[in-house]
Amino acid sequence: MAYGILTQTQIHEVLQSNSLHEKILKIINRPGSCWPGGQKAVFIAVAIGSPDNTCTPRTEHNGPESRKHEANGESFPAFAFKKAMMSRRTQMSTRELFENHPFLLESGDCLYAGGVYRGGVSVGASGLTEDADEEVAQIIHDTLMDAAKQE
């Protein structure tokens, strides 16, 4: 299926849309989606196109009582970026990579799920539990794909 080319501006518009933000807030506020005592925010990175032509906008969606945290000395935005890049490099979700193709992992890769890939678009999310990160990444991916179909 052919998808339209989304510009960086269009991607930012999708990522900042109220309807997407509402969906993400529902996940953030759902019991069990945040680590105990952890933040209520998720950071997003998107990669579209070939490695030499990458659009990587980064956004943040905050719930109430949001605090910025780091995990293992690395920031959540950095984890989101790594997850998006890993998914693009391997052309699969980070969960599929860990479960079925761990031999493709490289030094410095993030070891948490939360990256998805399909149709040349990869999205990484970080800040919540792995399942919630992955759910957020999938919703954003699907929303971007829908926007591309309409272009």
Side-chain angles (χ1 to χ4, degrees):
M1 180 177 283
Y3 292 94
I5 303 297
L6 292 174
T7 66
Q8 239 181 3
T9 300
Q10 291 168 316
I11 293 166
H12 280 288
E13 287 173 4
V14 168
L15 293 176
Q16 299 300 326
S17 72
N18 287 334
S19 61
L20 182 62
H21 187 69
E22 298 277 324
K23 291 176 187 177
I24 293 170
L25 282 179
K26 283 182 183 176
I27 296 169
I28 289 172
N29 291 317
R30 187 173 58 214
S33 66
C34 299
W35 295 106
Q39 67 174 5
K40 286 195 170 224
V42 63
F43 299 85
I44 311 300
V46 176
I48 296 178
S50 64
D52 56 339
N53 184 23
T54 302
C55 173
T56 55
R58 300 177 196 193
T59 62
E60 172 183 349
H61 292 270
N62 294 312
E65 304 161 25
S66 172
R67 296 178 306 201
K68 299 209 172 27
H69 272 56
E70 293 186 350
N72 300 325
E74 196 156 356
S75 70
F76 287 117
F79 279 135
F81 182 76
K82 282 186 177 185
K83 291 174 183 183
M85 295 301 104
M86 289 166 56
S87 290
R88 183 179 67 184
R89 183 185 79 230
T90 60
Q91 297 187 355
M92 65 183 78
S93 74
T94 50
R95 187 169 305 275
E96 182 182 354
L97 172 64
F98 301 146
E99 292 176 358
N100 301 321
H101 306 281
F103 52 88
L104 295 176
L105 288 168
E106 295 179 357
S107 177
D109 278 350
C110 178
L111 300 179
Y112 301 103
V116 298
Y117 174 90
R118 191 172 68 251
V121 176
S122 60
V123 178
S126 188
L128 305 173
T129 63
E130 288 179 271
D131 289 340
D133 282 348
E134 196 167 41
E135 187 177 356
V136 167
Q138 189 64 59
I139 288 170
I140 291 169
H141 181 278
D142 293 347
T143 303
L144 288 168
M145 296 300 262
D146 287 345
K149 286 180 196 177
Q150 296 177 21
E151 288 301 314

